[in-house]
Amino acid sequence: MSSDLDWLFNLSCRSIVAPAGYGKTELLAKAAAYFPRSLILTHTHAGVHAISDRVKRLGIPKEQVAIDTIASWASRYAYAFPIIANHPPKNPRGVEWNQVYQGALNVLSNPIAQRIVQSSYDRIYIDEYQDCESFQHTIAKTLARIVPTLIFGDPMQGIFEFVESKISWSAEVVPSFPVAYELTEPHRWNTCNPTLGAWIADVRQRLLAGSPIDLRQGPINYRAAANAFDMSLFFEGIDERHGSTAAIHCRRGICDKLARTSRGAYQAIEEMAGARLIQFGQQWDASENAWQRIAALNALLDDAMARDIDQPAAVDNLYDLNVRRQAAWDKFGLTGSAESAADVLSHEKAHPLSRTHRGELLSDARRALVEVSFGRSDCLTVACQQARQRLSHTGRAPTKRVVSTPLLLKGLEFDHVLIPDATHFSNERFACAKLFYVAISRARYTLSISSSSPILQFPKPIL
């Protein structure tokens, strides 16, 4: 192991502050490789995928590093010792997770379980610590008394302030895990756009101080706009933007409307819970006849695509395509079956006069309908839930252009980032400065911001 990381290996029960794009994932992977048995815990399966990919890229043997979410790791120990854990609920949802976490804490207080942890891991690293809730924080402190433990996080990316059980970085994290080091090298931009990286670093300091930010200064593209729906921000230079693009707005409903207005040029990303998908499943299961199922499917399609749009040029075989699409609807009306509904979805998505802007929603809906049609699920609601669970483990397929919220894009990076009407961040009740920082730090090559005011200023963030 290179001597430039020696400072890290002697630390325990300390924290590393890692601003966005400053090489934290690389550091985690290299640190884990130093010991024969390391455990890396994070919060999401997307985080697990990102770290696993980096470990693989560095050629680190997978048996040397265990990577998991905090929730999954805690539940495995709680379910392995059900009596000590006080029989926590299986398949927990919402606040039921607190029983799982408490069960894991009960297990970790047992000397036998402590010896199992000690014999399993030499070091433990916990990532994205700014997103921890109180039970997860208690688990981390308990683990730190059993095995040398380091945490990595960035208080400026702690955007879940609306969660009541969210812990305070300054009041709870630092007293338990004093800051040992803050990463200072903006690796994300070193080979892409160093000037942009320096500007984002300067904006971070301004946000921390509550100072104004002049969008007319710096290596960004600023556009004066009255509102978020100035679509020139989205389409000007679109053919010259190679690679991935993300448009970022804090309001999920606005993101869906922007994606619809773009006529599918940008795709809206669904939240992991898949509320609209689950609603469709529930409507389907509650339907008493085929007409009610038709209504549910039509409502889903209206939320996810524009149909029969005006097309300036003639479309080949349009009559035949319309006949086939109508035949699919007619069959669905007769059978009301999941198989027929899946066929309708295929025809609607493939129709040349359709423009899908929530493709993920329709793909998951069709996948769930196919599961029901093959008898692999008893009801569509369960099949929809399983579709979202699979996605959380496998990750999303790459999409060239997306529009979504900072909450859903945190941890990801894009070649180009667009921020429509940046003044809207000031309207957020929680974490407005942090949300803006997360949004701008997704960009690798270019950052374009429209705003009704060239000067932005947010209250000093709560750390």
Side-chain angles (χ1 to χ4, degrees):
M1 177 57 64
S2 175
S3 61
D4 62 353
L5 292 181
D6 286 347
W7 60 271
L8 186 69
F9 306 132
N10 296 320
L11 296 176
S12 180
C13 211
R14 302 292 294 273
S15 60
I16 309 297
V17 175
Y22 278 55
K24 177 196 62 180
T25 304
E26 184 91 358
L27 179 62
L28 266 171
K30 289 181 176 179
Y34 186 82
F35 295 94
R37 301 168 305 169
S38 295
L39 170 66
I40 300 177
L41 297 175
T42 187
H43 286 273
T44 66
H45 292 290
V48 170
H49 294 315
I51 298 169
S52 299
D53 288 345
R54 189 62 57 90
V55 166
K56 182 178 180 180
R57 193 186 312 164
L58 292 174
I60 301 168
K62 61 181 181 180
E63 61 270 11
Q64 192 172 336
V65 184
I67 308 168
D68 208 344
T69 64
I70 299 173
S72 178
W73 189 90
S75 62
R76 190 161 57 252
Y77 269 75
Y79 298 145
F81 301 90
I83 296 176
I84 300 175
N86 197 26
H87 300 284
K90 297 292 181 68
N91 303 313
R93 295 185 180 278
V95 296
E96 290 180 338
W97 273 104
N98 291 343
Q99 299 177 54
V100 176
Y101 291 136
Q102 184 59 62
L105 286 169
N106 294 346
V107 171
L108 291 174
S109 66
N110 184 282
I112 295 177
Q114 292 174 4
R115 287 197 291 273
I116 292 174
V117 173
Q118 289 170 338
S119 64
S120 300
Y121 313 112
D122 301 301
R123 301 278 287 190
I124 296 176
Y125 304 95
I126 305 178
D127 191 20
E128 299 289 352
Y129 206 84
Q130 73 280 348
D131 296 335
C132 274
E133 299 178 30
S134 56
F135 269 108
Q136 297 168 334
H137 181 49
T138 305
I139 287 175
K141 291 189 294 183
T142 303
L143 286 172
R145 292 193 291 267
I146 301 171
V147 174
T149 299
L150 277 181
I151 69 165
F152 293 74
D154 179 13
M156 275 300 288
Q157 296 184 72
I159 57 179
F160 295 99
E161 290 182 4
F162 54 87
V163 178
E164 290 186 5
S165 56
K166 172 80 166 54
I167 60 173
S168 164
W169 184 273
S170 58
E172 297 173 82
V173 176
V174 173
S176 301
F177 297 92
V179 175
Y181 191 76
E182 179 168 348
L183 304 184
T184 58
E185 183 69 23
H187 292 279
R188 177 174 295 169
W189 299 279
N190 280 349
T191 58
C192 302
N193 189 340
T195 308
L196 177 61
W199 184 84
I200 292 173
D202 177 68
V203 169
R204 175 188 172 92
Q205 296 305 313
R206 291 179 177 275
L207 292 170
L208 283 166
S211 301
I213 301 160
D214 191 336
L215 299 176
R216 296 166 298 189
Q217 299 176 357
I220 68 170
N221 305 311
Y222 166 67
R223 175 186 297 277
N227 57 58
F229 289 90
D230 180 354
M231 299 306 290
S232 60
L233 176 73
F234 289 71
F235 287 102
E236 188 172 277
I238 191 172
D239 293 331
E240 287 75 47
R241 288 201 299 261
H242 301 291
S244 57
T245 300
I248 305 177
H249 194 284
C250 291
R251 298 286 94 188
R252 172 60 200 280
I254 296 293
C255 290
D256 290 345
K257 291 178 181 178
L258 287 168
R260 175 181 287 275
T261 304
S262 78
R263 288 197 165 188
Y266 292 78
Q267 290 292 309
I269 292 179
E270 305 299 311
E271 79 284 357
M272 197 52 69
R276 184 62 184 91
L277 178 69
I278 302 303
Q279 181 189 43
F280 169 63
Q282 292 170 340
Q283 291 171 338
W284 176 280
D285 293 334
S287 297
E288 298 178 355
N289 52 55
W291 297 110
Q292 291 180 349
R293 289 183 171 179
I294 287 174
L297 185 59
N298 254 321
L300 183 77
L301 288 167
D302 287 341
D303 284 345
M305 64 163 48
R307 292 180 277 178
D308 297 321
I309 64 171
D310 293 332
Q311 189 80 357
V315 177
D316 293 337
N317 301 321
L318 182 59
Y319 176 81
D320 291 339
L321 292 170
N322 285 339
V323 168
R324 293 171 194 162
R325 181 177 64 173
Q326 187 57 49
W329 276 107
D330 292 342
K331 183 178 179 181
F332 181 36
L334 289 172
T335 66
S337 70
E339 181 182 6
S340 297
D343 192 39
V344 167
L345 275 176
S346 296
H347 279 85
E348 290 287 7
K349 286 188 68 176
H351 197 279
L353 299 187
S354 295
R355 293 295 182 270
T356 300
H357 61 273
R358 296 176 71 176
E360 182 182 316
L361 172 61
L362 294 186
S363 295
D364 281 348
R366 187 182 185 282
R367 189 174 295 111
L369 287 165
V370 169
E371 290 297 299
V372 171
S373 69
F374 279 95
R376 291 193 286 261
S377 184
D378 294 332
C379 69
L380 191 62
T381 302
V382 171
C384 289
Q385 292 169 342
Q386 291 171 341
R388 297 310 291 174
Q389 289 170 356
R390 279 194 295 272
L391 182 67
S392 72
H393 287 279
T394 60
R396 291 184 170 93
T399 303
K400 186 173 183 179
R401 291 184 291 268
V402 301
V403 53
S404 193
T405 67
L407 289 170
L408 293 178
L409 298 183
K410 191 168 78 72
L412 304 178
E413 58 184 76
F414 300 86
D415 294 316
H416 313 281
V417 166
L418 317 174
I419 299 180
D421 187 20
T423 57
H424 83 270
F425 285 88
S426 298
N427 300 325
E428 293 301 302
R429 182 181 174 189
F430 298 101
C432 55
K434 297 177 184 179
L435 288 165
F436 183 72
Y437 173 68
V438 168
I440 63 174
S441 59
R442 301 308 95 202
R444 297 177 67 232
Y445 287 95
T446 69
L447 174 62
S448 301
I449 301 177
S450 71
S451 177
S452 55
S453 170
I455 306 296
L456 299 179
Q457 189 167 10
F458 306 105
K460 290 180 64 173
I462 300 171
L463 301 181

